[in-house]
């Protein structure tokens, strides 16, 4: 072992406590219940610290116990933490915070915001690819650079297709699809895309091709968009990219950066943002390759107690000025997906190591601080919002196998809409790139057609006031075709009239049941994720 590795390894061994709940002599896995409670405590330590010291700023500064704005000055950490509250089972706090945000957050402000980070607007370009930054009040600034990263162009289809379904306005999904297609048409002859492109000319400015920073969520959204929308074309696009990525960038189950036109290695580094890839592989059923790559990344975690932003693969060490770990979620995300697919206890061990490392190294009086340098564990005065949105959430879900998010379709909620009965909560949730879950059924159940301007908010209020009634999912209730509303819109039934309304229906009238993307493949998604790869 090189001498330079002895210091961080020795320091880590000295700092980290003994693992309570770690595998014993019989090889048993870490106790999920124990670590689930530890993760919940981590969340509330960070969440309470933000509320007490940083709200309404975007993020908490944990070393000075105050706040600052980062991505747009709209209480980003609180927004990002919302659905984590639900996953932890704290419905009352979720409802309270929703009311607080409705009263306090205003998006019509004179602030320059990242289009990628806020996912709002700015697609009016000759290529249909969006600018990287937009002013929320005035639009694109006259002097705005036209150079945008690939991920900043290709990470819209999940949210924008959802928005189109809920509003009845197709423009959101349309512009997202145009952006995806322009990137697809801009790939090189060997099937790769670069890192940054000029959205006015369509010329590649940075020609490094890989799966990490600047590109990552473009590939992620091709897969998740395909699953959410049951779009075989999006999946086919990803599978073509996947072939090129394996042919030109994969070496010994690591993924390097190469020149997009020639395929020659440009950067032999692993970036921490690339750790999402094994999880994405699991969603298309490529479990063996996913596990091999995951284990490579896990060795880096064990070396430092976290993933450095850049790791030089040939040298086996950090890259200068890229030694930090801002408490990113990607490796934990992959562990969560792979554990659902395999049940391999090694994945729980990563979760255990993450809890122990983050608590020992990063925890301070006012939250959890970014690790500025993994070599000596110096801290930085920032807790990014994704810590509560993603890192803690994926950790909790890794240790909570019965969480509603993991529903395999065996249970569901039935709700009456103007168009008939809908099924919600049957599983198959799709996480966006900030780990916010979308129920595919809700896209269809809550669809608001322009001709029928019924209120989605009213529907959801009715739904949450219903006594949650779970029942076994019957296979024969699933239709293979898309759900279409009946000709007559009808009226929204109140919860107390739910049973009466069902009894009043004519005997021969059949209420069309929702056939949504989650149900036909939800079991496969939960196990292997083979959505479009077989003929069943």
């Amino acid at each position: 072992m090189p001498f330079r590795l002895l210091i961080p390894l020795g320091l880590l061994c000295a700092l980290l406590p003994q693992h309570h709940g770690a595998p014993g002599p019989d090889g048993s896995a870490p106790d999920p219940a124990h670590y689930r409670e530890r993760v919940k405590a981590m969340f509330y330590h960070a969440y309470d610290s933000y509320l007490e010291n940083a709200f309404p700023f975007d993020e908490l500064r944990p070393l000075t116990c105050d706040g600052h704005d980062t991505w747009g000055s709209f209480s980003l950490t609180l927004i990002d933490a919302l659905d984590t509250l639900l996953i932890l089972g704290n419905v009352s706090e979720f409802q309270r915070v929703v009311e607080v945000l409705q009263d306090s957050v205003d998006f019509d402000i004179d602030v320059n915001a990242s289009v990628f980070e806020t996912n709002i607007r700015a697609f009016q370009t000759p290529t249909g690819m969006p600018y990287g930054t937009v002013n929320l009040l005035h639009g694109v600034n006259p002097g705005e650079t036209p150079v945008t990263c690939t991920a900043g162009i290709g990470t819209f289809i999940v949210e924008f297709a959802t928005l189109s379904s809920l509003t009845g306005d197709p423009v959101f999904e349309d512009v997202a699809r145009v952006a995806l297609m322009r990137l697809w048409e801009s790939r090189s002859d060997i099937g790769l895309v670069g890192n940054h492109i000029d959205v006015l000319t369509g010329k590649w400015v940075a020609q490094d091709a890989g799966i990490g920073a600047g590109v990552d969520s473009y590939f992620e959204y091709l897969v998740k968009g395909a699953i959410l929308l049951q779009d075989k074309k999006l999946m086919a696009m990803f599978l073509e990219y996947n072939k090129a990525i394996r042919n030109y960038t994969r070496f010994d189950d690591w993924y390097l950066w190469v020149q997009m036109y020639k395929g020659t290695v440009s950067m032999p580094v692993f970036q921490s943002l690339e750790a999402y890839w094994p999880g994405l592989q699991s969603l298309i059923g490529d479990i063996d390759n996913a596990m091999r790559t995951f284990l490579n990344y896990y060795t880096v975690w064990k070396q430092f107690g976290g993933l450095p932003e850049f790791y030089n693969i040939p040298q086996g060490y950090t890259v200068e000025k890229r030694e930090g770990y801002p408490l990113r979620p990607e490796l934990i995300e992959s562990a969560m997906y792979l554990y659902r697919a395999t049940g391999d206890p090694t994945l729980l061990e990563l979760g255990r190591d993450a809890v122990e490392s983050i608590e020992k190294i990063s925890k301070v009086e006012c939250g959890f601080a970014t690790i500025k340098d993994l070599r000596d564990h110096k801290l930085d005065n920032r807790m990014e919002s994704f810590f509560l949105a993603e890192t803690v959430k994926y950790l909790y879900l890794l240790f909570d196998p019965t969480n509603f998010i993991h529903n395999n379709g065996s249970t569901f909620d039935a709700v009456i809409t103007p168009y008939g009965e809908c099924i919600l909560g049957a599983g198959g949730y799709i996480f966006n790139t900030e780990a916010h879950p979308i129920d595919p059924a809700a896209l269809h159940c809550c669809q608001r057609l322009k001709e029928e301007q019924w209120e989605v908010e009213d529907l959801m209020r009715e739904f949450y006031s219903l006594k949650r009634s779970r029942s076994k999912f019957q296979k024969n209730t699933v239709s293979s075709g898309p759900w279409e509303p009946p000709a007559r819109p009808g009226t929204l039934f109140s919860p107390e009239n739910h049973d009466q309304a069902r009894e009043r229906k004519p005997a021969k009238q059949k209420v069309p049941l929702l056939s949504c993307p989650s149900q036909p493949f939800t079991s496969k998604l939960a196990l292997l994720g083979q959505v479009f790869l077989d003929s069943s």
Side-chain angles (χ1 to χ4, degrees), residues 154-162 173 176-177 180 221 225 229 234:
T155 310
F156 293 93
I157 190 64
V158 169
E159 293 88 351
F160 276 33
T162 299
E173 182 175 344
R177 285 186 178 275
L180 286 177
Y221 271 38
L229 304 173
L234 294 182

Side-chain angles (χ1 to χ4, degrees), residues 250 253 255 277-279 281-282 285-299 331 334-348:
R250 188 174 70 169
D253 298 309
Y255 292 85
W277 189 256
Q281 288 176 301
S282 76
D286 193 3
I287 302 299
D288 291 340
N289 284 322
M291 280 300 296
R292 287 196 295 269
T293 296
F294 175 87
L295 292 174
N296 278 348
Y297 298 167
Y298 189 15
T299 62
L331 188 61
S334 285
M336 188 272 291
Y337 279 117
L338 283 168
Y339 186 68
R340 295 295 301 166
T342 68
D344 190 328
T346 302
L347 301 155
L348 294 182

Side-chain angles (χ1 to χ4, degrees), residues 214-227:
V215 183
D216 46 7
S217 50
Y218 170 46
F219 297 136
E220 177 188 0
Y221 271 38
L222 288 176
V223 172
K224 291 182 176 180
I227 296 172

